[in-house]
Amino acid sequence: MNAEFSNQAGSLVVDAIISTIKANKGYLSEVDSHGGDGDHGINMNKGFTIAREELDEQSVYTMSEGLKVISQVLMNKIGGSMGPLYGSFFRGLSAASRKSGKINKEIMLNMLKKAYQNLAELTDARVGDKSLMDVLIPTVEAYEEALSAGKSFELCLAESLAAAKTGLESTKAIPAKIGRASRIGDRSIGHQDAGATSCYLILEAMVHTIYELLEE
């Protein structure tokens, strides 16, 4: 198992994220139908489809460059709240890695932290509000804790993804406090949050692809 992968090879991470969102278009909208407008999957798919088309016009791109394209598309071409939020998320991932030819476990933490910091500037949502922050915050905390304990890149990723999964599951048990779903309050209990779901899917695609890159 390698301790790093190249930013160039990391273009596969971008490809995997796009493919995952497109494949889960219906699922994300179904999850969103329990509290939101039922269009989360449609909007996300639209953005990632445009990003795919723009990237297909480039012969090669690094992970950081691909993440920046996703960010720009979501910020500029997707409406609603998720466009700016995820646009900022991907901008953070890109900005924290763009100067690095090799991506190691320390740089990955910086990527996750910058993505979170960008989001925190746009939303007051925190753990317990039934949002993507219920997934992202535990992910960053678990990764940082594993890194501080001297664990391998692979284990840092594994423990952060496990925390993300726990965070996703936790959104089923709490009422929505922000966004459109907050209108139905306690009636949202029993259903997981759509934003938390897409966030988990993105992180899962990232982690599983990085596993493969580290094995090469």
Side-chain angles (χ1 to χ4, degrees), residues 48-122:
F48 283 80
T49 297
I50 295 171
R52 177 74 276 161
E53 292 168 353
E54 292 193 7
L55 288 169
D56 284 344
E57 295 176 359
Q58 304 181 27
S59 54
V60 292
Y61 50 90
T62 64
M63 177 184 70
S64 300
E65 291 166 348
L67 293 170
K68 184 177 180 181
V69 167
I70 294 175
S71 168
Q72 291 173 331
V73 168
L74 295 179
M75 296 277 280
N76 299 324
K77 299 183 179 180
I78 302 301
S81 61
M82 298 313 288
L85 288 172
Y86 271 127
S88 296
F89 171 87
F90 284 105
R91 189 179 71 232
L93 293 177
S94 174
S97 59
R98 63 186 175 85
K99 294 182 180 180
S100 304
K102 299 287 186 179
I103 308 300
N104 58 26
K105 59 185 181 179
E106 288 81 13
I107 292 170
M108 180 56 59
L109 174 62
N110 291 339
M111 290 171 65
L112 292 171
K113 289 176 75 171
K114 184 60 177 174
Y116 162 71
Q117 289 164 1
N118 280 3
L119 277 173
E121 292 176 1
L122 293 179

Side-chain angles (χ1 to χ4, degrees), residues 13-213:
V13 173
V14 177
D15 297 343
I17 292 171
I18 293 173
S19 296
T20 294
I21 292 299
K22 286 166 64 67
N24 284 280
K25 171 186 173 182
Y27 171 57
L28 289 172
S29 286
E30 191 276 328
V31 172
D32 191 38
S33 69
H34 298 295
D37 291 337
D39 60 357
H40 184 54
I42 295 170
N43 289 336
M44 292 288 281
N45 181 70
K46 177 184 176 183
F48 283 80
T49 297
I50 295 171
R52 177 74 276 161
E53 292 168 353
E54 292 193 7
L55 288 169
D56 284 344
E57 295 176 359
Q58 304 181 27
S59 54
V60 292
Y61 50 90
T62 64
M63 177 184 70
S64 300
E65 291 166 348
L67 293 170
K68 184 177 180 181
V69 167
I70 294 175
S71 168
Q72 291 173 331
V73 168
L74 295 179
M75 296 277 280
N76 299 324
K77 299 183 179 180
I78 302 301
S81 61
M82 298 313 288
L85 288 172
Y86 271 127
S88 296
F89 171 87
F90 284 105
R91 189 179 71 232
L93 293 177
S94 174
S97 59
R98 63 186 175 85
K99 294 182 180 180
S100 304
K102 299 287 186 179
I103 308 300
N104 58 26
K105 59 185 181 179
E106 288 81 13
I107 292 170
M108 180 56 59
L109 174 62
N110 291 339
M111 290 171 65
L112 292 171
K113 289 176 75 171
K114 184 60 177 174
Y116 162 71
Q117 289 164 1
N118 280 3
L119 277 173
E121 292 176 1
L122 293 179
T123 176
D124 293 328
R126 295 293 182 265
V127 170
D129 289 335
K130 201 179 183 100
S131 76
L132 64 86
M133 287 301 206
D134 285 291
V135 168
L136 184 57
I137 291 174
T139 296
V140 177
E141 291 176 345
Y143 191 102
E144 188 164 25
E145 187 175 327
L147 184 64
S148 297
K151 296 183 180 180
S152 68
F153 198 166
E154 184 181 24
L155 275 177
C156 289
L157 291 168
E159 293 187 13
S160 67
L161 188 60
K165 181 66 171 178
T166 300
L168 174 60
E169 291 296 321
S170 76
T171 65
K172 296 177 182 178
I174 53 181
K177 298 176 183 176
I178 60 169
R180 294 186 184 278
S182 63
R183 295 174 300 183
I184 64 171
D186 288 350
R187 283 182 289 144
S188 66
I189 295 175
H191 302 288
Q192 67 193 44
D193 179 68
T197 304
S198 57
C199 187
Y200 176 77
L201 290 172
I202 289 165
L203 292 168
E204 183 182 46
M206 284 180 60
V207 168
H208 287 170
T209 307
I210 293 171
Y211 283 163
E212 295 173 5
L213 292 171

